[in-house]
Amino acid sequence: GLLRFDECSIESEKGVGLLAYGTGIIQLVSCTVRRCGSDGIAAIDGGVVVINSTLVCENGDSGVLVDGPGSLARVTKSNFVGNGCNGVSAVHGGTILAVGSAMDKNAVAGAYACGLPAVTLGPHDMHYGRTETPGAKLELTECRMRRNGQ
């Protein structure tokens, strides 16, 4: 399904502010996502978020987390400020494409990408082989990062 937010303010004291999971799509235009206990916005296991002219700030973890193959965040002219971990995070095959955005004053990094190994189970051996999950992709164009990790 598709969820569209226009000029909205989203806060969540304990959890994730917005979650796109599986085939879910979330669109944000001119919104504020702040003071969420975990990530401000998350796209997991194929979820997609489209973020335009939005402020994502003061969240407990990352401003945006994109986790898993097929998960995607398309970000345009948005600001990720003062989050408890990273401004934007792509992990385990997630993809973030950002244009004209800023990642400032986040606790760890402005932008973070990581892929971790996975275990493939064989019929007779719990540790038959190891494969790598797809690496995360982070593509930033005309973006600014300042005073992160301080």
Side-chain angles (χ1 to χ4, degrees), residues 39-44 49 62-67 71 73 87-91 96:
D39 301 301
I41 304 165
I44 297 177
V49 294
S62 291
V64 173
L65 170 67
V66 181
D67 187 348
S71 300
V88 297
S89 298
V91 299
I96 297 175

Side-chain angles (χ1 to χ4, degrees), residues 25-29 48-52 54 72-76:
I25 301 170
I26 295 175
Q27 292 180 338
L28 295 151
V29 178
V48 174
V49 294
V50 180
I51 304 166
N52 293 302
T54 291
L72 172 67
R74 289 189 181 272
V75 180
T76 306

